[in-house]
Amino acid sequence: MKKLISFLWFLTTITFFAEANITKQRYSKSAQPTIEKWEVLDISFKAKVGKINPFITNFDALFTAPNGRTQKVPGFYNGNNEWVIRFSAKQEGQWTFTTQSKIKALNARSGQVIVNKNNTKGYKGAVVIPEARPDRFFYENGDPYMLMAFECDWLHALDYHNENGMPKTDRLLEVVKENGFNQIIMNVFTYNISGKGEWAKDEKLVNHPEYEFGGPDDIFPFLGNNENPDYSSLNIDFFKKFDRVIDLMHDRQMVSHLMIYVWNKLVAWPEMYSEADNMYFDYVVKRYQAFPNIMWDISKEALFYGRADDQYILERLERFRKLNDFNRTVSVHDYGFCARHPETVDYISRQTWDYSLYSQMLNDRKRFKNKPIFNIEHGGYEEAHFQVFTGVYTNAEVCLKRNYQCAFAGAYSTYYWQGLSWDVMIHDPEAQPENWYRPKLEYFKYFTDLFTKYHWHKFKPTPGHNSSGYSMADGEGTFLMYVPKEVYMIRAQYLFNKNYKPGKYRWFNTLTGEYTPYKQLPDIRAPFYSPWKDIADAVLIVEQDQNS
């Protein structure tokens, strides 16, 4: 009875905080809302809940595109007798829809939506994997997506208690984006670290509680809280506030790599396969799939910590596919699972701390030729003023090198900073006290600038040319070679073999982003010497004259 009362009380609660800035339209048959390509639209309907559980009640709409193609769009309950159809589209023109539900007030409601050709915010659409390049990510508009991710598991909590806006989240996204990152690895919800062993809480946090976001007693996706959960209902306020995060990321053109579960952050999840488990999973997928900036992940640490097994993750993937009406990409944060079941995921998720990272990523690329390889965790966790989790590499240059090793092996990668990736969140690293350690985020601005300038998606690893570094070639006469600062010289004959042609070359400094002036290619027998030997790792850029 107590749960029933709390459930009914919750359904009548009205929220009083600044909601997401999503375009909204209250349903009427004569309404004809207009949105831009890839803009998100919420069409709201009113229907009394009665005695049903609205979170497991089916409600959707069948949309018909201007070219006649149809697409089902799931709806969801949004509290206070409000139901929402959340829509976005790539195709311009007039779309029509008709709703479907066993609830009479929600059934057979028809309407129109106009998607115009404007794109004032510069949206590029969802991240997709085209058939012509199954090993690479692209945006729907055809631009290559050079994925460079930043882990920030507690992002949902940063401005949770700010009823008026999201200034901290906005600033964090600004800092991340201006330093070359275009994706955030995040959880729908995560609770706390263990506080023991290598996850022990830094004692300095006692004097700086403003940076500690672990263990909240009033943030939870269900009723109650993590210590006393009530699985009879979902917490609408939690998801309305989470809408603000995903929508702001969409406006900033930041992709959310969204992990539906996480097993190692002390979350009090309901029993696997239970009604509450299914309710949560289905609701999350229905509510957020219309956002083009979503890439899905079933769970962080999917098979660790004794929680789940292959059977459960396979069932979740099958369940996801049935709900995934917008056809967003999905993977699983567990390499063993991806390797055993590659046909069930859209890209391979890799996690390895091994020193032989380059070789492992190269082997993955050979093994899974027709899927993108995404190293989601390479063991580099750059140091911060507060120690959270060190892994095995904390030096900024070493962490950076591991990202280059992934890139030169043809794989995407992620960056972790101990000041933002977990329960400690220093949302504006530039505003820290001067005597605190500042992360070398600019290294990744230079990283993405290099691979944007030289069209990384066109390059393939050429390990046979490696000599004293890592080599890539685009097949059109351009070679990139990563040269560690310890290397004295590079022999040209290893780089070119029998494919030597006249041309030009220059060097790129991975720590400053500096390019040297171009010089004419020397004789094939002449070596190359890095101008930053013992100072910085560099990239040798060779551009051959294809008309020779």
Side-chain angles (χ1 to χ4, degrees):
M1 177 61 73
K2 181 179 179 181
K3 286 188 175 182
L4 177 60
I5 293 172
S6 66
F7 178 72
L8 294 176
W9 174 86
F10 185 75
L11 295 181
T12 61
T13 300
I14 299 176
T15 321
F16 294 101
F17 59 83
E19 297 186 19
N21 193 32
I22 301 169
T23 301
K24 295 178 173 62
Q25 174 67 56
R26 180 174 294 180
Y27 172 75
S28 72
K29 191 170 185 179
S30 61
Q32 194 177 68
T34 298
I35 57 174
E36 298 184 359
K37 287 201 304 183
W38 298 302
E39 181 180 355
V40 178
L41 169 69
D42 280 1
I43 306 172
S44 65
F45 302 78
K46 283 290 185 178
K48 292 182 179 180
V49 172
K51 297 181 180 180
I52 65 169
N53 182 343
F55 299 107
I56 61 173
T57 300
N58 289 329
F59 169 53
D60 55 64
L62 187 65
F63 277 73
T64 302
N67 64 1
R69 178 181 63 86
T70 59
Q71 177 186 342
K72 189 178 79 169
V73 177
F76 57 87
Y77 182 64
N78 202 38
N80 197 32
N81 292 325
E82 181 187 34
W83 303 73
V84 173
I85 294 289
R86 181 165 285 169
F87 175 74
S88 66
K90 170 184 177 181
Q91 188 177 349
E92 303 164 13
Q94 179 176 283
W95 291 68
T96 61
F97 68 86
T98 302
T99 62
Q100 305 170 96
S101 176
K102 291 182 178 180
I103 300 175
K104 185 176 180 180
L106 299 176
N107 190 48
R109 298 293 185 262
S110 59
Q112 300 177 346
V113 176
I114 302 298
V115 178
N116 64 36
K117 63 180 181 180
N118 295 332
N119 189 6
T120 58
K121 292 188 177 180
Y123 295 136
K124 296 182 178 182
V127 176
V128 297
I129 304 169
E131 291 185 8
R133 287 302 309 272
D135 62 334
R136 290 288 182 261
F137 292 120
F138 286 77
Y139 289 105
E140 279 185 292
N141 73 346
D143 288 355
Y145 177 58
M146 178 57 198
L147 189 165
M148 185 63 245
F150 190 115
E151 178 108 358
C152 191
D153 291 347
W154 265 262
L155 186 59
H156 66 275
L158 186 55
D159 278 308
Y160 189 89
H161 296 106
N162 190 326
E163 306 296 339
N164 300 312
M166 305 188 69
K168 293 180 180 179
T169 307
D170 197 19
R171 176 56 183 156
L172 185 155
L173 294 176
E174 181 182 25
V175 170
V176 167
K177 185 174 181 179
E178 68 187 12
N179 284 289
F181 300 97
N182 54 22
Q183 180 171 139
I184 290 183
I185 310 293
M186 57 191 293
N187 302 110
V188 176
F189 174 73
T190 190
Y191 182 61
N192 209 354
I193 62 175
S194 68
K196 302 175 183 178
E198 58 188 359
W199 284 102
K201 298 271 187 177
D202 193 318
E203 293 180 357
K204 295 191 295 293
L205 284 167
V206 173
N207 297 320
H208 295 283
E210 67 273 21
Y211 298 120
E212 170 63 83
F213 288 83
D217 60 7
D218 59 349
I219 304 177
F220 197 54
F222 295 90
L223 293 187
N225 60 30
N226 199 79
E227 297 301 319
N228 295 287
D230 177 354
Y231 300 127
S232 65
S233 174
L234 296 173
N235 180 354
I236 290 293
D237 277 5
F238 173 88
F239 290 102
K240 286 184 177 181
K241 291 185 176 183
F242 195 62
D243 283 357
R244 301 190 305 177
V245 178
I246 301 301
D247 182 55
L248 184 59
M249 293 177 69
H250 182 224
D251 280 350
R252 300 295 181 271
Q253 298 180 49
M254 183 68 63
V255 171
S256 167
H257 182 111
L258 191 55
M259 295 177 166
I260 300 173
Y261 301 108
V262 54
W263 301 146
N264 68 333
K265 297 300 185 292
L266 307 184
V267 178
W269 296 110
E271 290 294 319
M272 294 188 299
Y273 304 109
S274 66
E275 182 177 287
D277 185 26
N278 294 340
M279 175 174 67
Y280 164 80
F281 184 89
D282 294 358
Y283 188 80
V284 168
V285 177
K286 289 178 180 179
R287 185 163 186 133
Y288 294 104
Q289 64 177 281
F291 283 100
N293 63 319
I294 295 287
M295 292 177 67
W296 292 98
D297 197 315
I298 298 298
S299 177
K300 186 174 179 66
E301 310 291 2
L303 295 181
F304 286 98
Y305 305 96
R307 167 71 182 190
D309 54 18
D310 277 31
Q311 183 179 352
Y312 178 73
I313 300 301
L314 286 169
E315 188 275 339
R316 294 291 98 172
L317 279 165
E318 182 180 1
R319 193 177 191 94
F320 172 85
R321 296 289 185 190
K322 291 178 180 178
L323 296 167
N324 185 26
D325 296 307
F326 282 84
N327 198 30
R328 307 301 188 209
T329 59
V330 65
S331 191
V332 175
H333 183 246
D334 185 274
Y335 178 71
F337 179 90
C338 290
R340 289 189 297 274
H341 309 284
E343 73 285 353
T344 68
V345 295
D346 295 318
Y347 52 98
I348 302 298
S349 178
R350 187 61 148 117
Q351 182 180 8
T352 178
W353 294 3
D354 287 6
Y355 195 74
S356 59
L357 176 64
Y358 172 79
S359 297
Q360 290 200 18
M361 302 313 301
L362 205 60
N363 289 336
D364 289 344
R365 180 173 168 81
K366 292 176 181 177
R367 181 178 179 184
F368 306 105
K369 295 180 180 179
N370 294 319
K371 288 186 183 291
I373 309 297
F374 180 20
N375 188 310
I376 204 166
E377 194 165 356
H378 57 53
Y381 310 103
E382 188 177 345
E383 62 185 301
H385 180 72
F386 304 105
Q387 181 174 302
V388 182
F389 181 76
T390 62
V392 290
Y393 312 97
T394 62
N395 176 271
E397 291 185 36
V398 174
C399 293
L400 175 68
K401 178 180 289 189
R402 292 179 72 78
N403 288 89
Y404 274 102
Q405 288 175 322
C406 290
F408 274 82
Y412 302 97
S413 61
T414 305
Y415 165 78
Y416 286 69
W417 179 46
Q418 292 184 56
L420 262 176
S421 289
W422 298 293
D423 61 310
V424 172
M425 282 195 288
I426 304 171
H427 75 277
D428 189 353
E430 297 176 7
Q432 294 182 98
E434 290 187 5
N435 62 332
W436 288 21
Y437 177 87
R438 295 197 178 196
K440 305 302 187 288
L441 302 180
E442 66 274 14
Y443 291 173
F444 293 90
K445 174 178 171 58
Y446 310 142
F447 176 97
T448 52
D449 284 350
L450 171 71
F451 290 123
T452 300
K453 183 187 296 289
Y454 284 96
H455 307 293
W456 180 84
H457 68 285
K458 293 183 178 181
F459 283 78
K460 294 182 179 180
T462 53
H465 297 219
N466 275 359
S467 180
S468 305
Y470 308 121
S471 177
M472 302 179 75
D474 67 354
E476 299 174 359
T478 300
F479 298 83
L480 301 179
M481 175 169 280
Y482 185 85
V483 181
K485 62 184 179 182
E486 300 84 5
V487 171
Y488 179 70
M489 63 94 170
I490 295 289
R491 294 184 182 274
Q493 62 262 41
Y494 287 106
L495 183 60
F496 302 118
N497 290 342
K498 298 179 181 180
N499 299 318
Y500 178 83
K501 293 180 180 180
K504 58 186 179 180
Y505 76 97
R506 61 176 172 171
W507 290 88
F508 169 78
N509 187 317
T510 62
L511 303 186
T512 67
E514 177 186 354
Y515 291 89
T516 63
Y518 278 111
K519 293 184 178 180
Q520 290 301 115
L521 280 178
D523 182 272
I524 190 172
R525 292 166 293 183
F528 294 96
Y529 297 93
S530 170
W532 298 292
K533 181 184 178 300
D534 295 327
I535 298 172
D537 290 0
V539 176
L540 173 64
I541 304 164
V542 174
E543 300 174 47
Q544 291 183 323
D545 184 355
Q546 294 302 291
N547 296 321
S548 298

